[in-house]
Amino acid sequence: MDFGNIFGNTASYLLSPTTIAYALAATGLAVHFGYGGLLNFGMAAFMAVGGYGYAISILSFGFPWWAGVFVGVLAGALFALVLGVPTLRLRADYLAIATIATAEVVRLLFLTELFREWTNSAGGLSGYHQSFRDMNPFPPGTYGFGPWTYNENDLWVRVFGLLVLALSVLLVWALMRSPWGRVLKGIREDEDAVRSLGKNVFAYKMQALVVGGVIGALGGIVFVLPSAVIPGSYSTSLTFFLWTILLLGGAATVFGPTLGAVLFWVVFAFLGGLLPEMARVGWLPMTTNQADVVRYIVIGVVLMLIVIYRPQGILGNKREMTFVK
């Protein structure tokens, strides 16, 4: 087996745009669930409206990349408002059903032929990179070493993504230390008690949904920066990956989603390289395609074990997660 290639591919995911994008989306989900107690299973939709908003504004309306980022963020905020008005008064389990259904509706809307002029339906969107690359501060060349070797465009995407992630983490840290964050955590624990103190619980939930949705939309923008907008990427599996990442790192923590994203993608990439190779050399009684599917089974089992034995995550405090029970 080619362990050098397996470990090299695994190491590359430490700074992958995919890892950064998932860390951003999981940070937004932490605002929703970890701090606000909102059982949102529709984060894939926030990533989709962010990515599509960015790409469509550039391709269809000729916006520069920074205006496309603004459109994507605005789309995430507006989607949060549209989603929150009819759903935030629902009980947690009904909220989960409503949000996961809404995410599927959004994905299918982007696939429909009705909006093909802007979304290109199942073909997705590409060719919107030039204005972003024109702002690249790095001169042409090769940077880094080993599995972390990038050209100037790849490096620019990663640096931009890391800057957005750092600012988002700082924002969440500041918000959760503020009086607003303390009220939000109080709503998570007992919203009736907070309501009895005269606080508008619905307004705080809506604000949390918007803040987390904007961060999720930023994750969607970073997700599509390197290549293209692919509608198949926003399936329910994306949402479940985000929940695995969130619970792995710690739902009610600031840095947990980032740690969870790194660990998740490193393990996922490692299994994606190791298991097919084990099948190829005869160590596993299955084909390489079947072996590749096994990693999804492993991820599912890991998610169940996390929920059962350590729901607070790696960085979490067990006392912070009592509201889950």
Side-chain angles (χ1 to χ4, degrees):
M1 291 198 300
D2 187 0
F3 283 104
N5 183 57
I6 293 173
F7 285 115
N9 183 61
T10 300
S12 69
Y13 271 85
L14 287 172
L15 291 176
S16 165
T18 300
T19 303
I20 299 169
Y22 274 68
L24 275 164
T27 300
L29 190 58
V31 175
H32 290 168
F33 176 70
Y35 293 108
L38 303 176
L39 203 59
N40 174 23
F41 276 81
M43 186 53 78
F46 286 98
M47 293 185 71
V49 297
Y52 270 97
Y54 173 78
I56 291 172
S57 63
I58 295 173
L59 292 175
S60 297
F61 301 99
F63 287 7
W65 74 273
W66 55 267
V69 171
F70 177 78
V71 170
V73 167
L74 182 61
L78 291 176
F79 178 71
L81 292 173
V82 172
L83 175 65
V85 169
T87 63
L88 285 183
R89 289 187 174 89
L90 296 175
R91 207 174 64 192
D93 46 355
Y94 292 113
L95 177 63
I97 295 170
T99 52
I100 197 169
T102 303
E104 276 298 284
V105 169
V106 169
R107 185 179 69 84
L108 293 174
L109 281 175
F110 286 129
L111 282 170
T112 183
E113 292 292 320
L114 181 63
F115 306 115
R116 186 179 182 86
E117 179 183 353
W118 299 283
T119 66
N120 196 29
S121 188
L125 297 171
S126 61
Y128 49 80
H129 307 92
Q130 194 56 49
S131 64
F132 177 76
R133 292 173 178 173
D134 288 341
M135 293 296 294
N136 190 347
F138 302 103
T142 302
Y143 301 85
F145 59 92
W148 304 288
T149 301
Y150 314 114
N151 62 31
E152 67 280 5
N153 291 323
D154 292 336
L155 180 63
W156 174 220
V157 169
R158 284 162 173 79
V159 170
F160 176 78
L162 288 172
L163 287 173
V164 173
L165 177 60
L167 290 174
S168 299
V169 169
L170 180 62
L171 173 65
V172 173
W173 176 82
L175 286 175
M176 296 312 153
R177 288 171 58 90
S178 70
W180 182 86
R182 288 192 288 272
V183 172
L184 191 66
K185 287 184 278 189
I187 293 172
R188 176 194 67 190
E189 299 294 340
D190 190 340
E191 67 176 71
D192 291 329
V194 174
R195 189 177 288 110
S196 70
L197 297 174
K199 301 295 184 182
N200 188 333
V201 170
F202 178 81
Y204 276 91
K205 285 184 175 181
M206 181 64 77
Q207 292 161 19
L209 191 66
V210 170
V211 171
V214 165
I215 297 174
L218 285 170
I221 293 170
V222 173
F223 189 55
V224 303
L225 278 180
S227 54
V229 180
I230 303 171
S233 302
Y234 305 106
S235 62
T236 52
S237 62
L238 187 155
T239 293
F240 294 126
F241 284 178
L242 290 174
W243 274 94
T244 303
I245 287 167
L246 181 68
L247 296 177
L248 177 62
T253 63
V254 175
F255 297 103
T258 300
L259 176 63
V262 171
L263 292 176
F264 175 87
W265 280 108
V266 165
V267 172
F268 196 73
F270 178 71
L271 293 176
L274 179 65
L275 295 176
E277 277 293 298
M278 292 176 67
R280 187 181 63 81
V281 299
W283 292 2
L284 291 177
M286 58 184 72
T287 66
T288 55
N289 289 335
Q290 291 170 334
D292 187 59
V293 174
V294 170
R295 62 175 171 166
Y296 292 92
I297 300 173
V298 173
I299 293 298
V301 171
V302 168
L303 177 58
M304 290 188 290
L305 293 176
I306 291 171
V307 172
I308 294 170
Y309 295 108
R310 193 171 178 83
Q312 72 272 28
I314 295 174
L315 299 181
N317 185 328
K318 196 162 188 176
R319 183 177 61 83
E320 288 272 7
M321 293 300 292
T322 55
F323 70 97
V324 174
K325 298 180 180 179

